Amino acid sequence: MKIWIVEDIPLDAAKASRVVSDLAKSLSVEVDLYWNQDLKVTGELTRIEPGAITGVPADVSGRQLGRLLPDIVILDLFWDGSDFRGGSFYSDLRRQEIGAGAPSSFVLVWSVKPGMAEAQSFLEETPRRDRRLLFTNSKTVPLLSSALRECIKSYFEELFP
Amino acid sequence: MTLRICAIDEIGSDEQSTIASWLDRLGHEYEWDDPSRPQHLRFEFARRLPWLGLPFVWAGSHHNLRRLLSSLDGPTVKVLRNCAYFWILTDANDFSHPALPNDRFVLIDWNASGTLPVKSSLDRLRAFPDLLGLSWQTDLLRKQISRISTGKTGPGSSVLILGPSGSGKEVVTRCLSVAAASGPSSSTMDRGSLKAVSGAWLNMEPGMAMTELVGMDRGPTDERIPGLLTQSADATLFIDDFESSSRVVQETLLRIMSVPEGEPATFRAVGGSKDKKTNAWLLFATNKDLNVFLNEDGLRSDFLYRFGSRVLWITPLRERPADFPAIAHAIWRTAWKDAIEAKNGEDMPKEEVLRSDALRYLLAKDLAWDGNVRSLVALVKMVHARLLDAEYNGVSQSSLFDMFVSRGGSFLDWLTEGRPRANATPADVQGRIRGGDDDDPARNAGGDTSTLLVPSEEAVRAVLTPEGWDILSDVVENAPRPRRGLRLRVRLARILLFAAARPSITFAEAALLFDAVNPRKILTTVRKDVRLMAGGKCQLLLKESSNAKGFRRNPEYFRVGEAPQ
C-alpha cells in the first residue's frame, strides 16, 4: 500500500509518519511511505521509512509517477495567503489518477481549517461527490490515527470486494 | 444470474478447455475470474465468492482446494454449508472436507460429462428471479413452488404459506402466481392476476364480511357488489394473516376449498337466488404458530388437512445464512438506485458495491433478525444513508454496520442515535465534543469557541441523569481557579462521555481524550480532572476501581442503563 504525506512542515510530517508507522504495525500492513513537501503532484517525492522523515528521492518523471500514485494521501490544505494549494493538489491528483487508469485514492485532509472561502467551499462541497475525500476537522494525532485506520480498512475492503 | 468460476490454482490450457466445454454444456451465462492473478490473490477472491450472492464454482486441484477450505473463517463456512448453489470442479470425485455440506451433491469431476444437477439448479434459480437467496431452504421453496404451480390450481388446490413476519411470504405468493400463469391452467385461467387482501380487512360484522367475500346480488343492478370470489374467479386470491378474518369468512372459505382438485366451487352471493361458480386459486398466509392456532384459536384441524402437500414453510432468516448475501446485495442496489433517482444523479459519490468484509462482519455478529428480511432491509438502508453522508467519508462499510449493530441486535437498538457506543474510542468521543486542545491552543483559534460549549452540554446531558448533571455543574462551578472555564468543561465532558460508553476509564485513556500530541505531557492535568469528579464534596460521578487501574462510573448518575451496551 502506498501512502503519501503531503505536508510542508517537517514536524507535522514526522507526526503523520509516526501515525502511519504505528498503524502499519498494529494492522500488519506493508506500507510504502512517501513525503511530498512541494504540495504538487509532480513535485519532489521522498521515500521514507514509516516513523521517519528522511529518505531517498523517488523518480516521478513520466510514467514512473503512474506507478507511484498513492492509495491514501494525508494532505495538508496549505494556504500561503493567496494560493489554496491543497485544493489544487487534490484536483491534479484526481486528473493524474484518471490519466494513469488508477483507482481514486483516499485523500485524508489533516489540516487546520483555514478561514478562506475556497477552502471552506472545497471542504463542504467536494466530499459530497467524492466519498474518498475526508477531513479530520482538526490537526490532531488521535483523529488522524482514527481516520487513517478507517481508510486502510476501506482500502482492503475495496481491494477484494 | 451469472455463474462465477474461480480457478484457485494454475490450470493448464487443456484443463481450461475441458472446464470451458463443461461450462458451455450448462447453457448458462458464466464468468471466469481473471486466471492471470497471482496465487495468493486467487485465494483471496475465492474466499470472497460465497459473499457475492451469486452461484459459483471453485475449480482446482485437491491440494489447493483443501488449503482453501481449511482457511475459511466461521461465517464463510456457515454460508457455505447452507448454500445450495456452489460446486467444486476438480479432477477426481473422492474429495471431501468438513467445511462442505455432506447432504448434497457438491463435487464434480471435470472429466465427466454430466452437468444435469448443476443445470437444473441454475434453471430453478433463473425461474424465480424475485425469490432471492442461495440457501437450501430457499432452494427447497423453489422446488415446492415449481411443483405446486405446475399442478392443478383452483379452489380445491389452495396453498398455505407459513413463516414468521418479514420472512418473504408475499414474495412466495407472487412467485406462485407468476409460475402458475405459465402452468397447465394458463390457457383458461388468469393466475398471473393476483388480488391480495389482509385477513384483518375481512374482520368485520358477519353480513358485511360475507358481502366482501361472496358479493351481494340484491337491489338494482348498479348497486350489486361483486365479491372477492367473483372478482378473482379465474385469478389468484391471496389472503394474508387469514386468521384475522371473521369466523364466518373462515367457514365459507373452508366450504369453497372442499371441492375436488381442478373443479370450480359454487357459492351464492348475499341476497342472490342463483349459485355462482369460482375458480379462484386461494393462497393463505400466516405468521402464527399452527399449534397455538389449533389449540387456542379454535381453528378446525380439517382446515389444515385441506391443504395436503401444498403447505410451504419459510424458515426465519437467521437460519438461512446463505440467503444473506443475495438479499443484502439486492437491497443495496435498490438503495443506490433510489438515491440516484431522488437526487437526479447530482452531488452523488461514485456507486459502491456492498463489500464482502461488511457482510462477513454482519453475519459474524449472529444477530437474531427478529423482523427477518425487514430488519435486514432497514439496517442496510440505514447504513447506505450514512454512506451518502459526507461526514462518514472514508469510513469502511464494516464500521458503518458496526455503528448500528454494536448498539444491539434489534431495529429499536439501531435507532438509538446519540446514545453512547459500547466500544467508543477516544477519537469517537473527540469527534463528538470538540475543542479543548491543551497541547496547542492555537490550533483551535480559528473556530468560534463560544459554540464549543453547547454540543458538549448536549452530549453530556444525554448520558447523565438530572442528578448527575447537577453534580457536574457543581464540579465546574466550584473548580479551583484557574481551572474553571471552557477547557475544563470540554475535558470533563469528554471524560464523562467516554465513561458512559465504557464501564471505566483509566488516566491513560483520559489523556488520549485531550488531543495531546504527547499525552504524557498533560497527565498531571488529567489526573486532577478525573479526581475532581471522583472526590470530595462534589459527590461521586466516578469511583476508583477496585484494581486501582482507573475509575469506574457511578451507575446512579448515568443514563447508560437505558442504552444498549
Side-chain angles (χ1 to χ4, degrees):
Chain A
M1 170 188 289
K2 293 185 284 293
I3 298 181
W4 284 19
I5 296 169
V6 182
E7 172 67 68
D8 59 322
I9 303 169
L11 185 65
D12 286 342
K15 286 178 190 169
S17 179
R18 274 200 297 275
V19 169
V20 172
S21 167
D22 291 348
L23 281 176
K25 272 181 212 152
S26 74
L27 299 173
S28 305
V29 175
E30 276 183 32
V31 175
D32 293 337
L33 187 60
Y34 297 89
W35 178 24
N36 177 317
Q37 207 170 350
D38 295 345
L39 277 80
K40 283 182 187 161
V41 177
T42 50
E44 193 177 302
L45 198 61
T46 309
R47 175 148 190 191
I48 57 177
E49 282 301 312
I53 52 163
T54 50
V56 286
D59 178 8
V60 292
S61 58
R63 286 185 171 184
Q64 296 300 324
L65 180 63
R67 278 192 281 177
L68 294 175
L69 282 174
D71 300 307
I72 298 174
V73 180
I74 298 167
L75 175 66
D76 180 30
L77 277 188
F78 186 81
W79 178 46
D80 62 7
S82 60
D83 190 12
F84 174 42
R85 285 165 61 186
S88 313
F89 179 93
Y90 167 81
S91 312
D92 287 347
L93 175 67
R94 289 290 183 249
R95 267 195 294 275
Q96 291 282 353
E97 286 168 344
I98 291 168
S104 304
S105 51
F106 289 90
V107 177
L108 203 168
V109 176
W110 187 55
S111 184
V112 179
K113 197 172 186 174
M116 67 183 296
E118 287 103 314
Q120 288 285 353
S121 142
F122 171 73
L123 291 173
E124 278 172 21
E125 288 168 21
T126 319
R128 283 189 222 142
R129 296 188 300 271
D130 185 356
R131 212 179 101 70
R132 288 152 187 270
L133 174 65
L134 57 150
F135 178 46
T136 56
N137 282 306
S138 72
K139 199 166 185 174
T140 66
V141 165
L143 285 177
L144 172 64
S145 175
S146 149
L148 186 59
R149 178 183 286 271
E150 278 304 321
C151 285
I152 293 172
K153 230 171 134 180
S154 292
Y155 167 80
F156 281 108
E157 274 191 356
E158 289 181 19
L159 195 60
F160 306 107
Chain B
M1 242 184 200
T2 309
L3 177 71
R4 296 289 294 263
I5 318 290
C6 177
I8 57 167
D9 51 10
E10 284 187 25
I11 291 177
S13 56
D14 285 353
E15 287 151 331
Q16 268 193 41
S17 62
T18 307
I19 296 172
S21 78
W22 184 90
L23 288 165
D24 289 338
R25 285 199 299 278
L26 274 178
H28 273 265
E29 197 183 334
Y30 65 85
E31 190 183 321
W32 275 88
D33 274 330
D34 181 7
S36 61
R37 279 199 190 102
Q39 183 70 45
H40 70 284
L41 289 185
R42 278 191 215 178
F43 260 59
E44 277 301 332
F45 276 90
R47 271 196 281 268
R48 279 161 169 81
L49 269 187
W51 297 99
L52 298 185
L54 296 169
F56 68 93
V57 170
W58 280 324
S61 65
H62 278 190
H63 172 69
N64 275 336
L65 277 171
R66 196 171 302 284
R67 269 184 58 210
L68 171 70
L69 289 165
S70 302
S71 71
L72 299 179
D73 56 21
T76 309
V77 170
K78 226 167 147 179
V79 169
L80 208 60
R81 292 186 65 85
N82 185 243
C83 183
Y85 293 89
F86 86 94
W87 298 273
I88 286 177
L89 261 179
T90 186
D91 50 2
N93 55 12
D94 58 351
F95 177 76
S96 67
H97 192 278
L100 295 177
N102 49 17
D103 53 355
R104 77 170 189 87
F105 163 83
V106 171
L107 207 68
I108 304 166
D109 181 351
W110 65 46
N111 295 310
S113 57
T115 58
L116 194 60
V118 182
K119 188 173 171 3
S120 57
S121 293
L122 293 176
D123 285 344
R124 265 198 308 282
L125 204 55
R126 195 155 55 178
F128 301 105
D130 291 341
L131 187 58
L132 300 170
L134 304 180
S135 69
W136 65 262
Q137 293 98 325
T138 304
D139 185 45
L140 182 64
L141 266 180
R142 289 189 186 100
K143 287 178 188 163
Q144 289 174 319
I145 292 170
S146 196
R147 172 178 58 78
I148 291 170
S149 59
T150 49
K152 287 178 179 167
T153 57
S157 314
S158 304
V159 182
L160 176 61
I161 304 158
L162 303 169
S165 175
S167 58
K169 293 188 288 293
E170 276 193 52
V171 175
V172 168
T173 305
R174 280 203 304 275
C175 290
L176 278 165
S177 165
V178 170
S182 53
S185 317
S186 59
S187 55
T188 51
M189 311 290 175
D190 182 18
R191 295 295 182 226
S193 168
L194 175 72
K195 186 165 185 64
V197 289
S198 161
W201 173 247
L202 297 171
N203 186 6
M204 48 178 86
E205 181 270 318
M208 287 175 74
M210 284 302 288
T211 303
E212 281 293 328
L213 186 66
V214 297
M216 188 175 72
D217 270 357
R218 200 162 41 201
T221 314
D222 60 348
E223 286 181 14
R224 292 181 183 183
I225 301 166
L228 289 168
L229 291 175
T230 306
Q231 290 171 45
S232 311
D234 291 320
T236 305
L237 177 60
F238 171 48
I239 303 174
D240 197 8
D241 296 327
F242 72 92
E243 76 282 0
S244 309
S245 62
S246 69
R247 192 61 192 245
V248 66
V249 168
Q250 288 185 30
E251 296 280 350
T252 308
L253 287 171
L254 188 62
R255 285 231 347 264
I256 297 284
M257 289 161 59
S258 303
V259 295
E261 283 190 40
E263 297 287 319
T266 54
F267 65 97
R268 190 170 287 188
V270 174
S273 54
K274 285 182 185 167
D275 280 349
K276 291 185 167 187
K277 286 192 175 178
T278 184
N279 245 318
W281 191 26
L282 302 173
L283 311 181
F284 298 90
T286 181
N287 56 21
K288 275 212 153 187
D289 182 339
L290 277 187
N291 286 318
V292 174
F293 232 176
L294 291 170
N295 296 332
E296 293 175 13
D297 292 7
L299 183 81
R300 289 167 55 165
S301 54
D302 53 352
F303 179 77
L304 286 183
Y305 299 141
R306 295 274 193 282
F307 294 105
S309 62
R310 294 178 305 276
V311 179
L312 300 179
W313 164 245
I314 309 174
T315 44
L317 183 63
R318 66 175 173 275
E319 293 171 23
R320 300 181 267 141
D323 282 359
F324 254 84
I327 296 173
H329 277 287
I331 301 165
W332 187 260
R333 282 192 297 268
T334 308
W336 270 108
K337 197 168 151 247
D338 292 348
I340 291 168
E341 274 174 18
K343 287 196 167 185
N344 214 6
E346 285 170 17
D347 255 3
M348 286 283 291
K350 202 175 148 201
E351 194 166 339
E352 276 183 23
V353 297
L354 185 56
R355 311 286 180 213
S356 313
D357 281 349
L359 278 174
R360 191 165 42 190
Y361 164 80
L362 199 55
L363 205 68
K365 298 297 282 186
D366 216 8
L367 302 176
W369 301 109
D370 289 334
N372 291 289
V373 179
R374 279 196 200 108
S375 352
L376 183 59
V377 170
L379 180 61
V380 171
K381 286 191 172 173
M382 284 193 286
V383 166
H384 187 264
R386 284 255 161 118
L387 191 89
L388 297 183
D389 183 343
E391 198 184 322
Y392 297 93
N393 276 7
V395 178
S396 65
Q397 289 183 12
S398 313
S399 297
L400 289 175
F401 274 106
D402 178 66
M403 285 178 190
F404 292 99
V405 298
S406 64
R407 295 174 195 280
S410 76
F411 180 62
L412 285 179
D413 295 326
W414 305 334
L415 294 177
T416 55
E417 183 87 52
R419 296 271 182 90
R421 286 178 52 193
N423 57 350
T425 62
D428 293 331
V429 173
Q430 283 169 10
R432 293 182 60 197
I433 299 182
R434 291 174 40 205
D437 184 345
D438 277 19
D439 190 64
D440 185 358
R443 292 197 191 287
N444 290 302
D448 176 5
T449 49
S450 65
T451 63
L452 291 173
L453 197 57
V454 178
S456 313
E457 286 192 4
E458 279 175 2
V460 175
R461 272 181 189 274
V463 298
L464 289 179
T465 60
E467 296 80 14
W469 174 253
D470 287 346
I471 293 169
L472 177 65
S473 306
D474 203 31
V475 168
V476 173
E477 287 309 309
N478 293 302
R481 290 177 185 278
R483 305 178 76 235
R484 280 168 66 168
L486 172 68
R487 290 239 171 78
L488 175 67
R489 282 172 185 253
V490 172
R491 293 200 309 264
L492 297 189
R494 286 182 179 182
I495 290 171
L496 287 172
L497 208 66
F498 187 84
R502 299 208 171 173
S504 63
I505 184 166
T506 62
F507 288 132
E509 283 167 335
L512 278 173
L513 293 171
F514 291 177
D515 291 357
V517 174
N518 181 359
R520 277 188 205 160
K521 250 170 80 180
I522 57 160
L523 208 56
T524 318
T525 314
V526 169
R527 286 179 193 277
K528 282 181 187 166
D529 283 348
V530 176
R531 291 210 166 103
L532 197 62
M533 285 186 293
K537 310 178 278 191
C538 307
Q539 302 190 40
L540 300 172
L541 283 172
L542 302 173
K543 287 177 179 173
E544 199 158 358
S545 292
S546 51
N547 60 12
K549 282 188 179 166
F551 289 79
R552 62 193 161 82
R553 62 172 180 246
N554 187 342
E556 199 180 333
Y557 301 118
F558 284 80
R559 291 181 196 269
V560 288
E562 300 164 24
Q565 288 295 300

